[in-house]
Amino acid sequence: MDGELETATPTFSFQLGFLLMGFFPTDILTSITVGTYLASHGDPLWYATGFVLLTLLFLAVPSLSLVMIGDRAETLLPTVRTWMNTHSWIVSEIVILIFVVITINNIVG
């Protein structure tokens, strides 16, 4: 199974991405949180446009990098993945910090 994703067909990649994007528990919870926030403040659904576009941008970064830098992405993306695996705590801390700032902003403002 090791390396199977690196040689995956476009169909398999799309199916896996669809399942992860549509049914990943943290994504569902984040979407519920955004929807609940909008509903509790009486905001229209289109206020979530920024959230949706930013989420789609994050999901599209590997594909966009492959399109933009071509074959060099095949060597760059595994390097980025390795960095993300070894430094995932940094990414987690940044996400936690973002939620702390949002919470403080809601309490203060």
Side-chain angles (χ1 to χ4, degrees):
M1 180 111 166
D2 191 30
E4 184 176 340
L5 292 177
E6 292 177 10
T7 59
T9 64
T11 303
F12 177 75
S13 298
F14 178 79
Q15 290 172 343
L16 181 61
F18 180 78
L19 288 172
L20 288 174
M21 185 176 69
F23 300 106
F24 206 69
T26 55
D27 294 342
I28 293 171
L29 287 174
T30 304
S31 298
I32 290 171
T33 303
V34 170
T36 303
Y37 177 84
L38 291 175
S40 68
H41 288 83
D43 295 332
L45 187 58
W46 69 268
Y47 277 27
T49 305
F51 167 74
V52 171
L53 291 176
L54 188 61
T55 302
L56 290 175
L57 176 66
F58 285 147
L59 291 171
V61 165
S63 298
L64 290 174
S65 63
L66 186 61
V67 168
M68 289 175 24
I69 63 176
D71 292 336
R72 292 179 296 185
E74 291 183 23
T75 56
L76 177 66
L77 289 178
T79 305
V80 171
R81 182 189 64 227
T82 302
W83 185 90
M84 291 290 286
N85 285 337
T86 57
H87 297 87
S88 61
W89 66 273
I90 295 172
V91 176
S92 296
E93 294 298 324
I94 290 170
V95 170
I96 290 170
L97 183 62
I98 290 169
F99 281 112
V100 166
V101 168
I102 292 171
T103 303
I104 290 172
N105 186 35
N106 284 339
I107 291 171
V108 173

